[in-house]
């Protein structure tokens, strides 16, 4: 993961494999503000909008 060049972002999913589907959910739980956003970032999952 640390040796993937900046222009090969599409390879990030291949590195994490099947875990890539749940990593955004985990990221949303523990880092919802995306503080740890360096390098090949996994974006937090969308937060559900609260009903009014």
């Amino acid at each position: 993961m640390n040796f993937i060049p900046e222009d090969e972002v599409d390879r990030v999913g291949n590195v994490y494999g099947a875990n890539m589907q749940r990593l955004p959910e985990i990221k949303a739980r523990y880092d919802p503000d995306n503080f740890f956003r360096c390098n090949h970032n996994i974006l937090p999952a969308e937060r559900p909008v609260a009903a009014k």
Side-chain angles (χ1 to χ4, degrees):
M1 186 65 203
N2 292 329
F3 301 106
I4 296 176
E6 292 289 325
D7 61 344
E8 295 185 28
V9 179
D10 56 329
R11 289 180 51 198
V12 174
N14 292 335
V15 171
Y16 290 118
N19 291 325
M20 189 62 187
Q21 293 176 349
R22 66 186 184 102
L23 286 173
E25 295 171 11
I26 294 169
K27 176 85 174 196
R29 179 181 296 163
Y30 293 101
D31 186 18
D33 297 324
N34 203 23
F35 180 79
F36 298 102
R37 60 184 168 271
C38 297
N39 298 329
H40 301 292
N41 188 32
I42 295 172
L43 297 174
E46 294 284 325
R47 295 184 203 173
V49 178
K52 291 184 179 183

